[in-house]
Amino acid sequence: MSTTVSLVLAIACYLGIFAFIIAEIRHQHAAKPKHLRSLLIPALLFHGAGLAFQFIDGGEISLSFFKVPSLLVWLINIIILISSLRKPTLNVLLLVSPMSVIAIACTLLFGGDEQSLQLNTATSIHILLSLLAYSLLTIATMQALLLAYQNHQLRSKQISGMVRLLPPLQTMEALLFELLWVGFALLSISILTGTFFVHVDPEQALAHKVFFSVASWLIYATLLFGRHFKGWRGNTAIRFTLGGFIALMLAYFGSKLVVELIL
């Protein structure tokens, strides 16, 4: 099976997940976790098969602008699947499944200059930690968006449609902060390990990445400090989560957009 066929089949599976969730919402039914998992597992298998030969070649990993989002959403979906065994994380598939389709489609449709990185232990650890941190904080952002919608509908006293199918507000908020704490811890370690790369390759244009990575870390740190000591929640938590995510995405994708596509 070729890379293209695998990724096209993955797109079909993700579209199937999205269509299934929408159909269940229209019928006022909560999508059963076992049904969603039965759709998500083949999507991950096809997606993973497509990524395997697309990314790694001769001990190097390709880090082109249009390939990394595909890898990122694959990891996001894996984390969602595993965490769904204990937490109600499958709700975010409503947002993540179309995001997965777009990421894979961009990989298939658009080229771009290849940027390969020679793999070694330190590099691999840093990349893995970064991707896991990005994945968890992306899931947290999707959770924050669902929480914002749920909060708005409840305040407007429009308790119908998808709102009735979501877990209680307190459960949604508790899950958001659990994701933020774990993602923040991984981001902290990722930034620390990343400092080694400044000395290894001082010619890299890292100022942009460092600035936005630290800015993102400070935003998340402020939110978690406010949550622990001042009980921040609701719209305050949502705004900080979105702000931290924007800074985090600018740290990586902003610099790659300029270097690979503009310059």
Side-chain angles (χ1 to χ4, degrees):
M1 185 180 295
S2 69
T3 297
T4 301
V5 172
S6 296
L7 293 179
V8 169
L9 288 173
I11 287 176
C13 290
Y14 287 126
L15 287 174
I17 292 171
F18 182 71
F20 177 71
I21 295 174
I22 293 298
E24 293 296 278
I25 290 175
R26 287 179 175 176
H27 290 90
Q28 293 293 301
H29 296 152
K32 293 184 178 180
K34 65 178 182 180
H35 293 160
L36 286 174
R37 292 190 193 104
S38 66
L39 292 170
L40 184 56
I41 289 172
L44 289 171
L45 292 175
F46 287 129
H47 195 172
L51 289 171
F53 296 103
Q54 192 178 46
F55 265 87
I56 301 177
D57 182 22
E60 293 187 346
I61 184 169
S62 172
L63 296 174
S64 69
F65 181 80
F66 289 109
K67 287 185 179 180
V68 171
S70 180
L71 174 60
L72 189 59
V73 294
W74 183 64
L75 289 174
I76 289 170
N77 282 292
I78 288 177
I79 293 172
I80 291 172
L81 176 64
I82 295 173
S83 60
S84 72
L85 299 175
R86 298 185 63 183
K87 301 289 182 179
T89 56
L90 290 173
N91 299 298
V92 299
L93 286 175
L94 177 66
L95 302 177
V96 173
S97 55
M99 185 172 72
S100 302
V101 171
I102 294 171
I104 298 174
C106 287
T107 302
L108 292 171
L109 295 175
F110 303 106
D113 296 332
E114 293 294 325
Q115 178 189 358
S116 296
L117 185 64
Q118 188 67 36
L119 290 175
N120 54 53
T121 302
T123 304
S124 301
I125 291 174
H126 174 68
I127 291 174
L128 178 61
L129 288 170
S130 298
L131 289 173
L132 288 174
Y134 289 174
S135 299
L136 280 164
L137 292 171
T138 299
I139 297 172
T141 303
M142 300 299 104
Q143 181 74 7
L145 291 174
L146 287 177
L147 183 61
Y149 174 77
Q150 185 181 27
N151 194 32
H152 177 267
Q153 293 297 95
L154 290 174
R155 288 177 180 273
S156 303
K157 298 182 179 180
Q158 298 178 10
I159 309 174
S160 60
M162 188 176 70
V163 176
R164 295 180 59 187
L165 307 179
L166 290 173
L169 198 64
Q170 285 185 326
T171 302
M172 293 281 286
E173 193 169 80
L175 177 58
L176 169 63
F177 279 97
E178 287 178 13
L179 291 167
L180 287 171
W181 274 112
V182 179
F184 176 74
L186 288 171
L187 179 62
S188 301
I189 301 172
S190 172
I191 291 174
L192 288 175
T193 58
T195 58
F196 293 105
F197 292 89
V198 177
H199 302 290
V200 171
D201 189 3
E203 295 183 357
Q204 282 186 305
L206 294 177
H208 179 279
K209 291 183 181 180
V210 170
F211 175 80
F212 282 106
S213 294
V214 173
S216 175
W217 187 91
L218 289 173
I219 293 171
Y220 286 124
T222 301
L223 170 59
L224 294 173
F225 177 89
R227 170 69 172 185
H228 184 75
F229 291 101
K230 298 185 178 181
W232 287 359
R233 53 180 303 178
N235 289 332
T236 300
I238 292 166
R239 292 191 189 100
F240 270 89
T241 301
L242 296 178
F245 179 74
I246 291 171
L248 187 63
M249 291 301 101
L250 285 173
Y252 183 79
F253 293 106
S255 60
K256 293 188 73 65
L257 174 67
V258 172
V259 172
E260 294 187 26
L261 302 183
I262 297 178
L263 298 181

